[in-house]
Amino acid sequence: MSIRQIIVVTDGKSNVGGNPADAAYLANKKGITVSAIGIVDDGNLSHKEIKDIANWGGGVYDIIYSDEFIKSLSAITQKSAEKTIYKTLDSELMRLIGKNIEGLHPVLRSQIIDYIDKLLDVSNLKCAILLDLSGSMKNKLKKAVNGITDLLSTFKARRGKSELCLIGFPGENNVYAKILCPFTARISDIEFCLDDVKAGGNTPTYYAIEMAASLFESEINTMRYIV
């Protein structure tokens, strides 16, 4: 089984481009689950936008203080993958026997849940991490990087194949979003790219999600979105 997901990490409301929830919806239509983590310290975060990204992207969300980010990122990534597997099995059961998971006998439903836990470890996982690099992230960026580094360590322990990419938004020189590291199975590549991230600029979340979704459909990982 293959799991495809996008995790958006942001601390502010998008202020460049379209509605990020629209981009999340289009990504989900392609079979990509989009989840979001909102980092709030100063009250500027749009809770509705974070919820809408996850709801329209078929994923999950969390709104946290930056001190809790490390723990939250790993949890959201796992919950997002669980939801993807659950929806797939639910749909297949409905097709085969006319019942979804909730309609099964409690014992059988429990066995399905256990099976999902096992699939999480052995399934192929392709995950795009979208990191908000806008100016308001300057004081939170170090914690965000530490959180992503901690998440990467969990991927190293998985038995299934893990491919990750890292996208920063905005990029430098009027670029809406930039691929900091294309999809790779080498976790060290992502760790290396995290060493050089810097914050500054607006928050073009729509374009970052759109770029990430395109990478799942294409082997060309060198595209850039320019103003």
Side-chain angles (χ1 to χ4, degrees):
M1 186 173 185
S2 180
I3 302 169
R4 307 196 303 170
Q5 62 179 349
I6 293 171
I7 308 294
V8 181
V9 178
T10 181
D11 79 330
K13 184 176 181 180
S14 177
N15 52 20
V16 176
N19 185 345
D22 292 339
Y25 173 77
L26 294 174
N28 192 232
K29 292 284 284 184
K30 297 177 181 179
I32 305 165
T33 301
V34 185
S35 296
I37 297 180
I39 307 174
V40 53
D41 280 345
D42 51 17
N44 290 330
L45 176 70
S46 172
H47 291 209
K48 183 179 184 302
E49 184 171 290
I50 297 300
K51 294 176 183 178
D52 286 348
I53 289 172
N55 289 338
W56 286 98
V60 293
Y61 72 90
D62 198 4
I63 295 173
I64 51 106
Y65 286 93
S66 57
D67 289 340
E68 303 167 339
F69 178 75
I70 292 178
K71 179 175 63 177
S72 178
L73 182 56
S74 295
I76 283 291
T77 305
Q78 179 167 330
K79 288 178 183 177
S80 180
E82 285 175 354
K83 188 169 183 178
T84 301
I85 295 174
Y86 188 97
K87 286 168 61 179
T88 301
L89 294 179
D90 205 48
S91 177
E92 190 65 13
L93 282 171
M94 181 60 73
R95 185 183 69 83
L96 292 173
I97 65 175
K99 291 183 179 180
N100 58 20
I101 294 174
E102 292 302 316
L104 299 176
H105 186 279
V107 173
L108 185 54
R109 186 165 62 243
S110 177
Q111 292 174 343
I112 293 291
I113 299 302
D114 289 341
Y115 180 58
I116 290 174
D117 288 339
K118 293 177 182 177
L119 276 179
L120 273 174
D121 187 47
V122 300
S123 297
N124 292 333
L125 175 62
K126 201 165 186 178
C127 179
I129 301 172
L130 277 52
L131 179 59
D132 183 352
L133 296 177
S134 62
S136 60
M137 279 289 291
K138 285 183 179 179
N139 295 331
K140 305 159 195 164
L141 191 55
K142 183 177 180 180
K143 290 177 181 177
V145 168
N146 289 341
I148 294 173
T149 301
D150 184 73
L151 172 65
L152 295 177
S153 67
T154 67
F155 285 113
K156 292 177 182 178
R158 295 185 74 252
R159 286 188 291 166
K161 182 180 179 181
S162 298
E163 288 184 273
L164 295 95
C165 81
L166 180 66
I167 293 176
F169 65 100
E172 300 172 347
N173 301 319
N174 294 325
V175 174
Y176 285 138
K178 181 178 181 179
I179 302 167
L180 302 177
C181 183
F183 276 113
T184 177
R186 295 190 299 270
I187 304 301
S188 58
D189 289 352
I190 303 288
E191 293 173 329
F192 178 78
C193 291
L194 286 169
D195 290 339
D196 297 324
V197 293
K198 296 179 177 63
N202 293 315
T203 313
T205 313
Y206 178 97
Y207 294 110
I209 297 173
E210 186 180 53
M211 172 183 276
S214 72
L215 294 186
F216 286 91
E217 307 300 322
S218 173
E219 295 299 322
I220 302 174
N221 291 336
T222 57
M223 63 181 296
R224 298 290 186 271
Y225 281 16
I226 302 177
V227 178

